[in-house]
Amino acid sequence: MSLASRFPFPPNDPEDAGSRYNSRLYERFEGLLPVVTYSVILWCTVVYFLVNKDGADSVASNKLTHFLGFTTYQDLCNGRWWGPIASACVHIDLWHIVFNMLWLVRLGPLMERGLGSFKTVIFFITAAFVSSTVQLSFAGPGIGFSGVVYAMGGFMWAAWPRFTGFLEGFNGTSLRWLLIWQAFCLVLSWGGMMPIANTAHISGMLFGFLVGLWACHGTKQGWYWLCASTLMLLACIAFCALAAFSN
């Protein structure tokens, strides 16, 4: 079996999902208000205006950015274990927050109506922690919700055959745009034109993809995907713990 057939892209037309589209587990929470999504958007927006209030390069702004989430390895050594999660909500550039929030407002409600608000907030927290920690460990500190956005994309890519309601807002074209943008980000980074947290994007998508495969197949048939995603999470916890104990 080829990779394309084992991990198919979501179709552009929901009706092309065939008989699987009748599952529509999404509609279990059809009337759910996506409070987690809207709360994250609100907090990211508040943080953006706070850190830019006095100019992004001012001393006060830098201190506030650090206070609200920007985390270095030394911060981990000092016990700032929550930093990798909080850093996901920090944006300095306008294009950065606009890009992330546009994707979040599109994908977040789909995820909440498919999983429920509680599971969604757990996913956001773990995806932020994993993507930010991997970024910090391999390429230095980063900020922004992009790692979680890519985790959501990876999750929906893997889980859409079961959660077919995702197809109402996430399809093959959406996934291709995420992948094309990532390729463009790599070009910008390698060309020295713009620093981008590519490691957070890639690790976030991988984590979300593994969790999505587990959600799609269930624990009984997809236990190895559960183990793989859990190992990623445990590796990040171990990294932060070792940093704290090394101080």
Side-chain angles (χ1 to χ4, degrees):
M1 182 182 294
S2 67
L3 288 177
S5 59
R6 189 174 185 185
F7 309 118
F9 271 37
N12 287 328
D13 187 345
E15 294 185 0
D16 291 338
S19 60
R20 288 178 293 193
Y21 193 52
N22 294 326
S23 66
R24 301 191 60 75
L25 293 179
Y26 161 92
E27 294 194 342
R28 181 175 46 174
F29 302 101
E30 181 181 9
L32 179 70
L33 180 68
V35 292
V36 173
T37 297
Y38 295 154
S39 297
V40 171
I41 292 173
L42 176 61
W43 177 241
C44 288
T45 303
V46 169
V47 171
Y48 170 77
F49 282 107
L50 285 175
V51 299
N52 282 279
K53 179 171 60 71
D54 298 318
D57 296 325
S58 67
V59 174
S61 178
N62 290 334
K63 289 182 177 180
L64 187 58
T65 300
H66 179 263
F67 174 76
L68 291 172
F70 179 77
T71 300
T72 65
Y73 180 75
Q74 185 58 48
D75 291 322
L76 285 183
C77 293
N78 294 334
R80 190 182 169 97
W81 57 268
W82 53 268
I85 300 171
S87 64
C89 294
V90 178
H91 301 81
I92 295 176
D93 297 315
L94 179 61
W95 69 268
H96 194 194
I97 189 172
V98 168
F99 174 87
N100 287 338
M101 296 304 103
L102 284 176
W103 277 105
L104 180 56
V105 79
R106 179 174 182 173
L107 304 184
L110 295 174
M111 177 165 281
E112 281 199 66
R113 291 167 186 158
L115 303 179
S117 295
F118 178 74
K119 289 182 179 179
T120 298
V121 75
I122 295 300
F123 180 84
F124 282 3
I125 290 172
T126 54
F129 178 73
V130 169
S131 60
S132 297
T133 302
V134 174
Q135 169 67 32
L136 179 59
S137 61
F138 285 97
I143 56 173
F145 211 71
S146 304
V148 183
V149 166
Y150 272 87
M152 295 169 70
F155 179 90
M156 292 186 179
W157 176 8
W160 75 263
R162 182 180 182 188
F163 297 89
T164 49
F166 290 163
L167 299 176
E168 295 185 4
F170 183 81
N171 53 33
T173 300
S174 307
L175 179 56
R176 290 182 183 91
W177 271 116
L178 278 175
L179 296 176
I180 290 171
W181 177 254
Q182 179 53 52
F184 182 60
C185 287
L186 288 171
V187 171
L188 291 178
S189 296
W190 292 342
M193 291 174 277
M194 184 180 296
I196 298 176
N198 294 301
T199 310
H201 296 180
I202 296 170
S203 62
M205 175 164 271
L206 176 60
F207 178 74
F209 189 74
L210 294 173
V211 175
L213 288 172
W214 167 40
C216 184
H217 297 288
T219 302
K220 186 175 182 179
Q221 294 183 334
W223 61 268
Y224 37 88
W225 303 119
L226 168 61
C227 291
S229 57
T230 302
L231 283 174
M232 280 192 73
L233 178 59
L234 291 177
C236 292
I237 293 175
F239 175 80
C240 293
L242 288 173
F245 283 116
S246 68
N247 188 23

